[in-house]
Amino acid sequence: VRALLGLVSSGRIRELLECVQRDDAQGLLTAADGLLAAGVGPAQICGQLTQAVRNALVARVDEKLLEGPEAERAAAHDVAGWFGEEELARFMQILLRAAGDLRHGQQQRLHLELALVKLLHARRLTGVEAVLAALGEGLGVRGEGLGGAGKTERVVEAHQAETGKGEAPAREAAAGDPG
């Protein structure tokens, strides 16, 4: 029945996500190629992959909100353990954009493959919070983290004090130096 409807087994979708988790571009594109060669359309692959990522994101936030068979919920819980909430949200954005491109684009395979490679690249991105925390540690801002009002300003001030660039623009303007 799945083949007649052009549906991909949950195991094959999981295989794609495992490739993303392992940062295996060759495996990811090879697995996608196998699905395409079997007659599954790029839009169908993208749609089911989007649903799997959505389920993982929901499982990460609150498993009680997941619907469907127990096996699907267990699979979503497993995938949720592989990726952070921020990563899953990025994956959703990439896949939703790809779904739109697939609806309106002429080169569907190209759009699908590009989205798959973007998933790998998104995995390598560092979250803003992690960058700010590392910046704060490098500038000697410790203790309470960077999550509240005024803390970012303290990081900037610490950086300016450390580099001596705090009041430079104002001093140069006062001295008549154009720049």
Side-chain angles (χ1 to χ4, degrees):
V1 174
R2 283 187 172 275
L4 290 174
L5 295 174
L7 297 176
V8 182
S9 74
S10 58
R12 299 291 297 270
I13 294 297
R14 183 183 174 102
E15 179 184 353
L16 294 172
L17 290 169
E18 286 173 348
C19 289
V20 172
Q21 192 256 347
R22 290 190 316 263
D23 196 21
D24 179 7
Q26 182 179 5
L28 183 61
L29 293 178
T30 300
D33 182 61
L35 291 171
L36 293 167
V40 180
Q44 187 63 37
I45 296 169
C46 185
Q48 286 187 248
L49 193 54
T50 302
Q51 185 64 40
V53 170
R54 179 257 177 215
N55 289 346
L57 182 59
V58 170
R60 189 140 183 90
V61 173
D62 186 357
E63 286 188 49
K64 291 177 272 184
L65 297 175
L66 275 179
E67 297 176 1
E70 178 59 35
E72 245 179 69
R73 292 195 315 264
H77 178 73
D78 288 348
V79 173
W82 299 344
F83 307 108
E85 189 176 323
E86 197 172 308
E87 286 176 305
L88 290 167
R90 278 192 218 116
F91 293 171
M92 284 293 295
Q93 289 176 327
I94 291 166
L95 291 168
L96 290 171
R97 168 107 189 223
D101 292 344
L102 287 167
R103 275 192 295 278
H104 305 293
Q106 302 239 342
Q107 307 230 353
Q108 289 195 339
R109 181 183 183 120
L110 176 70
H111 287 294
L112 174 66
E113 290 172 341
L114 179 61
L116 295 175
V117 171
K118 283 182 175 183
L119 294 178
L120 293 172
H121 289 219
R123 186 91 207 278
R124 297 176 192 143
L125 294 175
T126 304
V128 172
E129 294 84 6
V131 171
L132 287 174
L135 179 62
E137 288 174 15
L139 296 174
V141 178
R142 292 188 186 6
E144 50 197 43
L146 295 172
K151 293 177 184 167
T152 302
E153 289 82 2
R154 284 193 294 255
V155 169
V156 171
E157 290 168 4
H159 174 67
Q160 291 172 341
E162 190 173 283
T163 60
K165 295 183 179 178
E167 299 295 319
R171 283 189 298 237
E172 290 170 6
D177 186 7

